[in-house]
Amino acid sequence: MLTVNLKKDRKNLVNLFYHYLLMNNDVDYMKQDILDQTQMVFLDSTIESVALDIATKSPEILGEIESKLKNNWTMDRIPALIKAMLLEGAWEIQYTDNEKAIIINDLVEYCKAVEPDFDFKFVNAILDQFIKF
């Protein structure tokens, strides 16, 4: 099973998918870009494999995230960086054995650091729904 073990790896993955979501790249583009290592954020082949898996599953995961939004929210209202945090966190919660509370805490802390105007409780609430799933 693929795992993400370090806070640094989570941030690298979030930053990678932030770029893709910001540019509205499709799955095929993401996968090819990861294979070409254009972004050069990978420390090893395991993280590259994780990124490929997230890219492959991203349409499904983003759909699941959207289904967890309140009625007055749409994916268009969510900044690309927050979407990337939710994408990485939801993937990690669903597809790894990593400690769920640590995953969420790391991403909430990252949200506080890079998006101080965005309500970090939103990230916590959405990712928490994946645990209760």
Side-chain angles (χ1 to χ4, degrees):
M1 176 168 282
L2 302 173
T3 60
V4 176
N5 294 319
L6 302 172
K7 194 180 289 195
K8 182 178 176 182
D9 292 338
R10 280 188 191 102
K11 287 181 181 179
N12 283 338
L13 288 164
V14 166
N15 290 335
L16 177 70
F17 284 95
Y18 164 62
H19 168 80
Y20 296 142
L21 293 170
L22 188 63
M23 302 303 292
N24 292 315
N25 294 129
D26 65 14
V27 172
D28 291 332
Y29 178 89
M30 288 188 266
K31 289 167 63 175
Q32 188 60 54
D33 196 58
I34 291 164
L35 290 171
D36 292 343
Q37 292 193 358
T38 304
Q39 302 303 316
M40 302 302 287
V41 298
F42 306 115
L43 302 177
D44 59 38
S45 61
T46 302
I47 298 304
E48 182 179 329
S49 296
V50 167
L52 283 170
D53 197 53
I54 294 171
T56 300
K57 294 175 176 151
S58 64
E60 173 188 327
I61 295 170
L62 290 170
E64 291 175 34
I65 292 167
E66 188 166 28
S67 75
K68 296 178 184 329
L69 299 176
K70 300 281 185 194
N71 291 339
N72 60 338
W73 277 86
T74 64
M75 289 297 274
D76 293 338
R77 280 186 68 188
I78 303 171
L81 184 56
I82 300 301
K83 284 183 206 174
M85 289 178 193
L86 295 173
L87 175 62
E88 194 286 330
W91 175 86
E92 196 173 350
I93 288 167
Q94 291 180 317
Y95 298 102
T96 73
D97 294 329
N98 294 348
E99 183 62 41
K100 310 310 182 214
I102 292 172
I103 296 165
I104 294 173
N105 186 61
D106 282 354
L107 291 168
V108 165
E109 291 302 314
Y110 190 38
C111 179
K112 288 178 185 178
V114 297
E115 287 280 355
D117 293 336
F118 195 84
D119 191 355
F120 66 88
K121 294 175 188 174
F122 176 82
V123 172
N124 187 57
I126 296 297
L127 291 177
D128 192 48
Q129 290 183 55
F130 281 90
I131 293 174
K132 297 175 182 176
F133 178 47

